[in-house]
Amino acid sequence: MVRSKTFRYDRNYAKLNLRKHPELYQVGRGEQGVLLVEPYKSEILPHWKFRTPEIAKRSATAITKLFHLYQRKKDFVGMDMARKFLQMGYTRARRYANHASGKKFGPQGKPLPRVEDKEKARSAIIFHRAWKRVEKEQDYTKYKAEHKARYG
């Protein structure tokens, strides 16, 4: 079997339940698949918000609680998906901190000027800290290594 180091986008995630079939989950890189993998997407996405630091704090806390719920159940896929949502909270808040429209490039493909939004930058920091905390958890690193060794 050829093992992919990137997320498998060729699967029909709308019909897959990766809680029932964790062997089909590929960790991938960064946030790959974050908005595809069910049932986790539907469980975590409603909590994912970053408009203000206060909202980001509530969001990061809720997602971290879900991470710990999955951890207690030894559900690595859920843990990794929660980690991906925290990472995405950081990257998206950072993007909007740099570009109010969320777009980095203009119509001709030229980079748009960066304008720092301090509120979104604070939201990004909140998510970054939460993301890095869960990523360092011993169970997470252990389960991740086991999952990759077993399934790729």
Side-chain angles (χ1 to χ4, degrees):
M1 175 195 299
V2 175
R3 299 210 186 262
S4 172
K5 293 184 191 252
T6 60
F7 187 81
R8 297 277 310 268
Y9 286 100
D10 60 335
R11 293 193 168 129
N12 185 354
Y13 290 99
K15 295 195 186 249
L16 279 178
N17 179 330
L18 288 178
R19 180 172 287 130
K20 290 181 181 175
H21 296 285
E23 72 279 4
L24 298 176
Y25 180 73
Q26 294 291 139
V27 174
R29 293 187 180 111
E31 305 159 24
Q32 289 181 322
V34 70
L35 296 175
L36 295 174
V37 175
E38 291 291 2
Y40 307 100
K41 177 190 91 170
S42 293
E43 294 169 358
I44 303 169
L45 184 60
H47 302 283
W48 184 74
K49 296 171 177 55
F50 58 88
R51 189 169 18 109
T52 67
E54 295 77 25
I55 290 170
K57 178 77 172 145
R58 284 194 302 271
S59 176
T61 298
I63 295 169
T64 299
K65 284 180 182 177
L66 287 170
F67 174 91
H68 290 296
L69 173 69
Y70 300 135
Q71 183 180 33
R72 284 191 300 278
K73 294 179 178 182
K74 296 183 175 159
D75 180 347
F76 168 71
V77 179
M79 292 170 71
D80 197 48
M81 289 298 295
R83 187 263 318 156
K84 286 181 181 196
F85 270 95
L86 291 170
Q87 183 175 356
M88 188 169 67
Y90 165 68
T91 59
R92 295 311 182 279
R94 208 45 258 166
R95 177 183 293 175
Y96 283 91
N98 293 337
H99 304 283
S101 70
K103 296 181 182 182
K104 297 188 259 185
F105 300 97
Q108 278 72 43
K110 292 187 180 194
L112 294 170
R114 290 175 62 160
V115 179
E116 181 77 8
D117 177 328
K118 293 189 185 311
E119 190 168 72
K120 293 289 187 306
R122 287 195 307 274
S123 293
I125 290 167
I126 290 164
F127 274 102
H128 189 266
R129 287 178 180 156
W131 162 34
K132 292 302 178 180
R133 271 194 307 273
V134 301
E135 201 170 51
K136 289 179 184 173
E137 295 235 3
Q138 279 186 329
D139 283 346
Y140 175 76
T141 56
K142 175 184 160 199
Y143 297 158
K144 181 178 180 180
E146 289 171 355
H147 188 89
K148 283 185 158 193
R150 190 166 183 193
Y151 306 118

